């Protein structure tokens, strides 16, 4: 809120020696907490001391923000919202994890923090897409979090390859005809060829897999408990896949079914086509005892998928089987 603004001259655009003076006090004289509203008085004066502008009783609010947000806002080159996972599950694959941007932060003060993140990480052409987003806040949070995760994952990978740290806006995220993300930017011509990327998000987390320019990759992340009726998914398995769930019930069945689903999803992303509503086209032709390493077969090729459980999530990373690398290359 602002009680009054007084402008004593037209905008002095070409005048030097201007200074802004400010004083502030608690709105409630008895309030001592840092989060209490404060009232500000401003004056803009020229070199001769003449007052050009006066603002009276501008009230503002204090609110706490995550340290990662503050670091990104103040220093986009060195600030990060996410971090790399300990290992990438598959050879030559780096995993980057970014928590979904918190709802409270996104709605604070009319959504200003969310807009700050968008303008910090998105290039100009991407901001148009961001402004055009409609619908629920959750969808916009997922979109922006996913875009930030892709950019950070690629920046981290490029730095590891070249020692050069890019700004978030240097990494452009685009989508192919199947909706799969790929990255671009000026650095592809002068630093290093663009890596392959894959994105998944579930629950409160986004995860990105990054691999070399000639190594297709796919990733899928799911939260345990997502499948309400695992027995119904069991009925969709091919005859040769049924032994993978034989004798399992309850939580073990839930986890096993989710492992198979994640393996298919990651494989479909690795092949660059997605499930397209036909998961049965991706057949699991072999798997180890705990379904940690699986081969998924499709008419386009065979994909090696590695699946692990982290706390209450299942994550799968897929890449072409060794025998198919020449085809993809």
């Amino acid at each position: 809120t602002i009680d009054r603004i007084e402008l004593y001259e037209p905008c002095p655009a070409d005048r030097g020696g201007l200074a802004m003076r400010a004083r502030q006090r608690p709105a409630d004289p008895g309030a001592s907490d840092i989060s209490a509203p404060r009232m500000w008085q401003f004056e803009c004066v020229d070199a001769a001391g003449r007052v050009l502008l006066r603002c009276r009783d501008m009230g503002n609010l204090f609110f706490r923000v995550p340290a990662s947000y503050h670091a990104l806002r103040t220093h986009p080159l060195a600030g990060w919202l996410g971090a790399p996972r300990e290992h990438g599950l598959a050879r030559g694959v780096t995993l980057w994890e970014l928590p979904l941007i918190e709802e409270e932060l996104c709605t604070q003060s009319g959504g200003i923090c969310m807009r700050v993140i968008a303008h910090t990480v998105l290039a100009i052409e991407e901001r148009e897409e961001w402004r055009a987003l409609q619908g629920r806040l959750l969808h916009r949070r997922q979109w922006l979090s996913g875009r930030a995760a892709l950019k950070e994952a690629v920046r981290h990978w490029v730095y590891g390859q070249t020692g050069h740290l890019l700004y978030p806006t240097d990494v452009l995220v685009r989508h192919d005809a199947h909706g799969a993300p790929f990255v671009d930017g000026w650095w592809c011509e002068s630093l290093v060829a663009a890596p392959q990327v894959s994105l998944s998000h579930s629950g409160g987390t986004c995860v990105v897999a990054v691999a070399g320019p000639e190594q297709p990759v796919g990733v899928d992340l799911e939260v345990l408990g997502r499948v309400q009726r695992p027995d119904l998914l069991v009925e969709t398995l091919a005859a040769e896949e049924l032994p993978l769930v034989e004798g399992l019930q309850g939580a073990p069945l839930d986890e096993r079914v989710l492992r198979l689903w994640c393996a298919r999803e990651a494989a479909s992303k690795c092949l660059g086509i997605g499930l397209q509503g036909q998961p049965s086209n991706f057949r699991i032709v072999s798997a180890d005892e705990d379904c940690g390493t699986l081969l998924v077969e499709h008419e386009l090729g065979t994909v090696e998928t590695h699946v692990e459980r982290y706390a209450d999530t299942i994550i799968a990373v897929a890449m072409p089987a060794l025998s198919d690398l020449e085809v993809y290359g």
Side-chain angles (χ1 to χ4, degrees), residues 32-46:
S32 59
D33 189 84
I34 191 173
S35 62
R38 311 189 77 78
M39 306 305 292
W40 292 78
Q41 322 299 324
F42 291 98
E43 284 185 344
C44 180
V45 299
D46 64 13

Side-chain angles (χ1 to χ4, degrees), residues 98 141-151 199 201 206 208:
L98 188 147
R141 289 169 59 211
Q142 289 174 336
W143 188 95
L144 186 57
S145 299
R147 191 61 62 101
L150 283 163
K151 288 168 174 278
L199 167 69
H201 54 73
C206 299
V208 175

Side-chain angles (χ1 to χ4, degrees), residues 1-24:
T1 59
I2 299 176
D3 179 63
R4 185 176 179 83
I5 298 177
E6 298 171 339
L7 304 171
Y8 299 106
E9 291 188 21
C11 180
D14 300 323
R15 192 182 308 182
L18 302 184
M20 182 73 79
R21 302 186 301 208
R23 301 182 304 277
Q24 56 88 15

Side-chain angles (χ1 to χ4, degrees), residues 302-320:
T302 302
V303 177
E304 181 180 303
T305 307
H306 299 272
V307 185
E308 285 195 13
R309 175 176 176 173
Y310 293 92
D312 62 345
T313 61
I314 299 293
I315 184 170
V317 175
M319 57 185 301

Side-chain angles (χ1 to χ4, degrees), residues 53-119:
L53 173 148
R54 181 174 285 123
C55 175
R56 186 173 69 196
D57 284 346
M58 187 193 83
N60 68 341
L61 299 177
F62 173 94
F63 52 89
R64 300 186 184 278
V65 297
S68 57
Y69 166 81
H70 179 72
L72 179 68
R73 180 182 69 84
T74 56
H75 196 348
L77 191 63
W80 305 86
L81 296 176
R85 277 184 173 264
E86 294 181 0
H87 54 85
L89 290 181
R91 60 187 182 278
V93 177
T94 299
L95 290 180
W96 187 269
E97 184 177 9
L98 188 147
L100 195 65
I101 300 171
E102 297 175 2
E103 181 175 355
E104 182 179 0
L105 184 67
C106 292
T107 57
Q108 183 66 254
S109 294
I112 181 62
C113 294
M114 198 176 192
R115 297 197 298 275
V116 167
I117 294 174
H119 282 74

Side-chain angles (χ1 to χ4, degrees), residues 238 240-241 264 279-286 295-298:
E240 62 269 25
E241 297 171 334
R264 282 194 171 94
S280 60
N281 288 346
F282 300 84
R283 297 185 302 110
I284 299 172
V285 296
S286 73
L295 286 181
V296 182
E297 194 174 78
H298 185 271

